[in-house]
Amino acid sequence: MTEITIFKAKKIVTMNERQPVCDHVAVRDGVILGAGKLDELTGWGEYTLDERFAEKVIFPGFIEGHCHSWEGAAWEDTFVGFLDRTSPSREVHKGLKSVDEVVAKLVDAEKELETSDEPLKGWGLDPIFFDRRVTRTDLDRVSTSRPVVVVHQSGHVINVNTHVLEKANITGDMDVDGLVKDSDGNPTGELMGIALYQSALKAVGMNSVLDMGKDKEKSLRWFAHSAQIAGVTTVTDLASELKPELLAVQADLASRDDYPIRVVPAFLGQMVPTNEGVEWITSLAGQSTDKLRLGLVKLIVDGSIQGLTARFKQPGYYNGAPNGMWYVDPMELPNIIAAYHKAGSQIHIHTNGDEATEAALDAIEAVLKQYPSSDARFTLQHCQMAHDAHFRRMAKLGVCANLFSNHLYYWGDQHYELTMGPERACRMDAANTAGKLGVHYSIHSDAPVTHLSPLFTAWCAVNRQTQSGRVLGENEKITVEQALYAITLGAAYTLKLDTELGSIECGKRADFTILEDDPLTVSPTKLKDIEVWGTVLGGRPFPVSEIVS
Amino acid sequence: MKFGAQFWAGVLFRFPRLYPEWDIAVSSITPAISPSLVPVTVIGGFLGTGKTTLLNEVLSSQTGIRYAVMVNDFGSLAVDDALVKAHDGDTISFANGCVCCSLGDNLIKSIDALLERDPKPEQFLIEVSGVANPKAIADVATLHPGLRRDLIITLVDAETVMERAGDPRLADTLSMQLVPADLIVLNKCDLVGDTKLARVCSYLSDLYPSQMVRTVHSRLPVEYLSAKVLTDPLEPKLDLGKSEPATQSSHDPESQFYRCTVNLPDNMMCDQLRALLREHQSSLLRAKGFVYDEQGTLVSIQLSGNQIEVQSHFDGAGEFSGGSSKPYLVAIGLVPLDAFKQAVLANLCQ
Ligand SMILES: [Zn+2]
Ligand SMILES: [Zn+2]
């Protein structure tokens, strides 16, 4: 007989409509026996009453429906982003508000390096917020003798120092796309696009921007810490090549009791010929474990809005930029979707611009006509610029949305002023419309693109406030209840995990988020500031305070 | 397909599925030692335009050249391993679509792996997906210390190109494939009638200054995979598709663009042409051609948007000895180009 623990809380918010709130939850073998009053739970048998949460609020474990395990690896390098960010070791990194502050932080980081030639790498640079671009002269102040590389927030652009340009033999007279030059025709050190930045990284012996770091296990532990700190118990890793060596480390960690998260990796279906991808994902089908769920497939249709690479229908970008790029031929998309769909995979599709969203819906509709399915639960990831008509179609097709609400705060002002213009910026990530029109939706961070914190994401969806304080679309605000549903049961639904996760009721996994305050009673503007005590995963408490770096 | 016995000396290694993501065929034939940079030709165009057929055609043509074939597009047709093997070559499949970050990384790693082979490939043929920018892939060659960019070849399906051009989702992607192309291969010409073929030809030549050849079943002579043949504008347009030559030179009354071909004066240097193009930029949509640089090497020059690019396709001027190549320029104008043409002919650089 295994032991029963009954947790007592100040308040338990269950997401179970029949009993929205209670104060005790009984757990055995990682599974919830029941939630309710204490005397409704004692009938399960002998128990231990655990009162450590007596003054805390318990939620179903938060689910981050779109983030990436690079969140962990990123912290091997120096963070130079514009907004404050908490590291997996709970260190708060202040946002850097000017190029000089960026350089100063890199100078400090350079002093920490052990050998004289080891490269220095920064990440999270977002010059869209600065009055000028970063140049090699800036980075030469950090070092002239070792490679200095700073990856932009977009992941598609880097800045390098003169040392790297020389090693890679990149000169102003080269005719390659994306080489930014000064008025004298010399490279400024800003390198856009794959050919340039991959060649530069290679020349100084550095790995790809998306590399999982030297120590995969450490990176994946850090990833878990980032989640735990934010009160998250289930994370997606939403574009993984699922290479055997990484998968092995992931599976090993997931088998350990002290690993505090469930991970749902999505196989990036475009990385290999479709037939091979189908073969691979099918071969993994039986290998899911309690904390590692395989089988999800991700496809990427277009780029990003702030990177001006998302695909838009007319009238296109507000600032007149040319249309973005397809990551997959829209004519081919139905074939790729059909192949994975037929194999039984659930498919999540990245679409940012409205043209990409429409192409994905056209493809899904065609596939479902040919291979009908009562519950394929396709999910459009980001789906930032969907029109009402798209949401209506999604509802009919049973397609979910996972909206990128953090964008509203991070780049909302840029969308209003540069990329989308006022009207469209005010209907970005239209959670209210999605819900009203009957679309199941969640909201996400896309960490490390923005920081991982479902309470912050909920705050964004509820307040729709930009950095400058502008409100983007009063009508698209959702209520706190709706936002909290979106980061629990809503997200579970998009992952087809709603039978197991997302609410606190008999038979579900004992995954909880433990909060110091009640999101339903604090001011909605304070949602993001609620302190997270930690989590409970399968009945085992994971206090944030015990995280060691 | 039949091959001489010596071609079968290669051994096909099939790596474990997926990782690393390629099939490699290696040969045991005597290495040809060449210190020079390995040329890279990038083959673009939508899925279904005949890229893979073209590769298979080239590989079955018994040239004796050791090709390394890299494929970034996966249609129903696969590059024939046996053909690759026959050429002592290597074939690599890389990412579908264009997930750019990983694509670049995989691409460079794959190229490096191939260059380390002994004997190393004599030419890279990289087939890219329709949504990948062939110029971005060619840039990888420009930047690589062991490679030189040779050609960008874009295949166009004569049957469907007008549909693509009229599809707001794909028109700009088509243009992205065609603008940087050094050679446009108008394929599947047998599937359209003469009237439509003429219309397609004049549509393409009115918009794009690149040389164009017409083919059926992707039957492109191997010489066309290297820049050498493109340096002679006077050579009659290769027409491997139909006996009727297309009316490429005639100006389509419907078109709002003007095309002109100029044989450059012998004394015209690259910098002078560059200055002329700058000067007349506002009346030009695009221009493309070959001109001598200060070292006397024929280089290609291209104007598109407000960018002028000069590419050296050759290891040295030696490649041209005995060739009939002449410097020339093809320009597409937004207005009639008589003034521009006169200025070029007189080498009137102000
Ligand atoms: Zn993502
Ligand atoms: Zn990318």
Side-chain angles (χ1 to χ4, degrees), chain A residues 154-156 194 197 210 300 303 325 327, chain B residues 98-103:
Chain A
S154 69
H156 289 183
I194 51 143
Y197 80 66
L210 298 184
I300 301 178
M325 59 191 278
Y327 276 38
Chain B
C98 175
V99 183
C100 47
C101 317
S102 331
L103 171 61

Side-chain angles (χ1 to χ4, degrees), chain B residues 12-306:
Chain B
L12 182 77
F13 289 104
R14 197 166 264 279
F15 276 61
R17 299 326 296 154
L18 293 168
Y19 305 107
E21 299 142 2
W22 53 75
D23 306 329
I24 294 185
V26 198
S27 149
S28 53
I29 290 176
T30 338
I33 292 132
S34 160
S36 59
L37 305 177
V38 182
V40 175
T41 288
V42 178
I43 300 165
F46 284 111
L47 192 72
T49 50
K51 288 174 291 179
T52 308
T53 309
L54 183 142
L55 286 176
N56 284 335
E57 281 288 325
V58 170
L59 293 170
S60 63
S61 62
Q62 301 201 27
T63 55
I65 298 171
R66 205 161 40 244
Y67 291 111
V69 180
M70 308 182 72
V71 184
N72 170 228
D73 204 2
F74 305 106
S76 44
L77 208 60
V79 171
D80 193 328
D81 281 337
L83 294 178
V84 174
K85 184 174 63 171
H87 276 264
D88 320 334
D90 298 336
T91 173
I92 286 191
S93 307
F94 57 107
N96 203 354
C98 175
V99 183
C100 47
C101 317
S102 331
L103 171 61
D105 191 38
N106 286 350
L107 177 62
I108 294 173
K109 280 189 184 141
S110 309
I111 288 172
D112 288 344
L114 290 174
L115 282 175
E116 270 169 30
R117 302 207 155 261
D118 189 9
K120 69 179 183 185
E122 289 165 320
Q123 174 147 33
F124 277 84
L125 301 177
I126 304 183
E127 175 190 338
V128 297
S129 90
V131 294
N133 183 348
K135 172 65 165 59
I137 305 298
D139 284 348
V140 171
T142 306
L143 289 160
H144 197 288
L147 304 175
R148 66 180 171 83
R149 175 199 152 150
D150 200 343
L151 283 190
I152 294 174
I153 297 178
T154 297
L155 269 78
V156 172
D157 179 342
E159 206 183 8
T160 60
V161 60
M162 298 312 285
E163 232 172 273
R164 299 280 193 280
D167 183 340
R169 297 178 308 166
L170 297 173
D172 59 337
T173 304
L174 177 67
S175 174
M176 173 187 79
Q177 299 165 358
L178 290 171
V179 169
D182 300 297
L183 176 69
I184 297 172
V185 176
L186 182 59
N187 193 28
K188 304 198 176 182
C189 289
D190 53 331
L191 299 182
V192 296
D194 291 347
T195 325
K196 183 168 176 185
L197 188 60
R199 226 181 73 226
V200 170
C201 283
S202 77
Y203 168 80
L204 290 172
S205 58
D206 276 353
L207 272 175
Y208 306 102
S210 319
Q211 285 222 29
M212 180 162 55
V213 299
R214 299 189 284 153
T215 57
V216 295
H217 303 304
S218 304
R219 277 187 213 120
L220 184 74
V222 272
E223 310 87 85
Y224 280 75
L225 295 174
S226 126
K228 228 163 157 182
V229 289
L230 300 184
T231 53
D232 187 359
L234 299 180
E235 183 183 327
K237 288 278 182 280
L238 187 72
D239 187 359
L240 303 150
K242 290 253 170 168
S243 47
E244 278 294 290
T247 53
Q248 280 172 20
S249 47
S250 66
H251 176 67
D252 180 353
E254 301 271 296
S255 165
Q256 66 272 53
F257 303 110
Y258 302 82
R259 183 186 172 105
C260 79
T261 303
V262 201
N263 290 312
L264 299 175
D266 288 340
N267 62 349
M268 169 84 74
M269 289 288 139
C270 180
D271 285 347
Q272 295 166 317
L273 183 59
R274 193 195 282 264
L276 269 167
L277 286 169
R278 276 266 170 262
E279 205 176 295
H280 293 262
Q281 195 177 312
S282 59
S283 54
L284 295 168
L285 177 68
R286 290 187 253 283
K288 195 162 234 170
F290 287 88
V291 63
Y292 285 107
D293 69 5
E294 307 306 317
Q295 285 79 45
T297 308
L298 212 49
V299 292
S300 74
I301 186 162
Q302 161 163 339
L303 165 90
S304 93
N306 50 17

